[in-house]
Amino acid sequence: MMILDAIFKILCAMSALLFVNKLIFDGISRVKSKVTSTGNTWFLLILDAAYMPLQFCILIFGIYRIAHLFEYQFIMNNIDHGYQVSMLMVMSSFLLRFKQNIEHVLDEEKEYLFTKFDPALVTLFSQIIKVTIIFCVVAIALYIVGIPFQSLMMLQGAVTIALGVSAQNVLGNGFGGIMILLYKPFEIGDLISSPDKKIEGYVEEIRWDRTRIMNLDRRPLSIPNSMFNQIIIVNASKMRNRHLVQNINLSYKNIDKVDAITTQIQAMLKSHDGIDTKLAASAHLVEFGAQSLRIHVSAFTKTVKTSVFYQVQQDVCIQIAQIIKNNEAEIVLVTNVL
């Protein structure tokens, strides 16, 4: 009779558990449909994050109450600790799901929001929040099961020392990522290069530990952030102008036409739509070479985009060639004499 009575109580408890579970989630579904029509995004995020953890919460509570039907000493000694740890895990699950839902909203609205917030900084804070939640849950769970707080602090100190010795590269990469996000030597979409290393391409992603760069020949590079603290970085996307330089070799028989040619080239540069006239633009004879006269042409374009820069450079070169032709001068091909 005692066994039948226990089975009957368990069945009654499970039936009540399922009934309460259905009532709660029917209520959540109705509330969710009403909130959707109002457009309250934050409340929807909370409801969605709480849906699965609440199911586990009801299940854990039911198991906890059913376990009290049995008066075994082992169960009675451990059920409270197990219940508290389980509820703690449910709470952490809710927080992590809520964080993930916020990330999804930010990703959907990134074209608007990331004009105000750096996406790499958002990712970094997301990782920090995740690690903090997990660390706090583990620490509280260990404390619940009876490990003293002082022991946790000693364990934390030992782990910190171990990490400092065995994971210097990881910590260095993390510190490098923080420096990149704070000082912003480059951002996502920038064209960067390094004269120290064979690095040149567009920044596609900045993580807390490494940065992904798409090379100019479309090869992805994954670079540890600690490396950026040790090398020189040239950020072409931060330039306001690009330097256009051409060296032209004229025949010595055209030396009497050099002054007219350089004057006309300077006038062309000052009137060209693609050249920034606020900056110096020049064309001068700079060297008497072994085989030719060398004219140095220098100017700064208004654009920094590579494709537009090449178009401006091409047009300038064609006009220079036309000026030389109009003056009946000749461009000399310089060859190396062995």
Side-chain angles (χ1 to χ4, degrees), residues 9-178:
K9 290 181 179 179
I10 292 173
L11 291 176
C12 290
M14 293 298 296
S15 299
L17 185 64
L18 293 174
F19 179 72
V20 172
N21 184 69
K22 187 177 186 307
L23 286 179
I24 290 176
F25 287 103
D26 285 346
I28 289 178
S29 299
R30 286 194 294 269
V31 171
K32 199 172 181 180
S33 61
K34 291 182 179 179
V35 173
T36 303
S37 61
T38 63
N40 193 330
T41 305
W42 288 104
F43 196 54
L44 280 174
L45 293 180
I46 293 173
L47 286 177
D48 185 68
Y51 191 81
M52 287 297 294
L54 193 55
Q55 281 186 321
F56 283 106
C57 183
I58 295 172
L59 178 63
I60 292 169
F61 179 76
I63 294 174
Y64 175 73
R65 299 307 303 174
I66 291 172
H68 276 79
L69 298 176
F70 302 93
E71 297 182 353
Y72 294 110
Q73 190 63 33
F74 176 79
I75 295 178
M76 300 306 295
N77 290 339
N78 295 279
I79 189 64
D80 289 335
H81 288 164
Y83 175 71
Q84 293 173 3
V85 172
S86 299
M87 286 300 184
L88 181 64
M89 299 297 291
V90 169
M91 178 59 70
S92 66
S93 174
F94 165 73
L95 294 175
L96 291 174
R97 285 171 60 86
F98 183 58
K99 178 193 74 70
Q100 188 176 14
N101 288 345
I102 294 176
E103 289 178 357
H104 288 162
V105 172
L106 292 177
D107 186 61
E108 292 174 357
E109 302 291 336
K110 61 184 177 182
E111 292 184 359
Y112 168 73
L113 291 175
F114 287 168
T115 58
K116 300 181 179 180
F117 302 101
D118 188 343
L121 198 59
V122 172
T123 302
L124 176 64
F125 279 122
S126 173
Q127 295 294 329
I128 292 175
I129 291 172
K130 181 179 179 180
V131 172
T132 302
I133 291 173
I134 294 174
F135 177 80
C136 291
V137 168
V138 172
I140 296 173
L142 292 176
Y143 182 76
I144 288 174
V145 298
I147 299 178
F149 186 75
Q150 292 80 0
S151 300
L152 293 179
M153 292 297 99
M154 293 176 61
L155 178 62
Q156 180 186 3
V159 171
T160 302
I161 294 174
L163 287 175
V165 174
S166 62
Q168 293 182 2
N169 291 335
V170 175
L171 296 175
N173 292 335
F175 180 76
I178 293 174

Side-chain angles (χ1 to χ4, degrees), residues 139-327:
I140 296 173
L142 292 176
Y143 182 76
I144 288 174
V145 298
I147 299 178
F149 186 75
Q150 292 80 0
S151 300
L152 293 179
M153 292 297 99
M154 293 176 61
L155 178 62
Q156 180 186 3
V159 171
T160 302
I161 294 174
L163 287 175
V165 174
S166 62
Q168 293 182 2
N169 291 335
V170 175
L171 296 175
N173 292 335
F175 180 76
I178 293 174
M179 292 298 101
I180 291 172
L181 295 174
L182 290 178
Y183 293 102
K184 297 185 183 300
F186 53 81
E187 300 177 16
I188 294 176
D190 285 356
L191 173 62
I192 66 172
S193 62
S194 173
D196 301 329
K197 302 287 184 179
K198 293 182 179 179
I199 299 173
E200 185 176 12
Y202 291 91
V203 180
E204 287 199 336
E205 183 182 18
I206 303 174
R207 297 176 59 86
W208 70 272
D209 59 336
R210 60 188 58 246
T211 297
R212 188 174 74 241
I213 296 174
M214 184 60 69
N215 211 332
L216 296 181
D217 56 0
R218 305 303 297 169
R219 290 184 301 168
L221 302 176
S222 184
I223 303 172
N225 287 333
S226 59
M227 182 179 294
F228 293 111
N229 294 327
Q230 306 169 8
I231 62 176
I232 297 173
I233 294 295
V234 179
N235 191 339
S237 299
K238 300 296 184 183
M239 295 190 302
R240 298 178 181 178
N241 307 88
R242 292 192 67 166
H243 195 192
L244 189 156
V245 178
Q246 292 294 320
N247 291 301
I248 306 161
N249 297 299
L250 293 182
S251 173
Y252 270 101
K253 64 182 180 181
N254 304 132
I255 191 169
D256 58 328
K257 302 174 182 178
V258 168
D259 187 59
I261 290 173
T262 54
T263 301
Q264 292 174 30
I265 291 175
Q266 290 182 31
M268 179 271 295
L269 293 174
K270 292 179 181 179
S271 62
H272 198 286
D273 292 337
I275 301 299
D276 192 343
T277 56
K278 296 178 182 179
L279 300 176
S282 62
H284 298 287
L285 174 64
V286 294
E287 183 182 0
F288 291 101
Q291 304 176 45
S292 63
L293 304 167
R294 188 161 72 92
I295 295 178
H296 179 76
V297 179
S298 173
F300 292 90
T301 62
K302 295 178 180 178
T303 183
V304 296
K305 294 183 178 179
T306 302
S307 58
V308 181
F309 169 77
Y310 284 144
Q311 291 176 1
V312 173
Q313 181 175 251
Q314 174 180 295
D315 186 64
V316 168
C317 289
I318 291 174
Q319 292 195 46
I320 290 174
Q322 188 63 44
I323 290 172
I324 294 173
K325 181 179 179 181
N326 293 341
N327 284 273

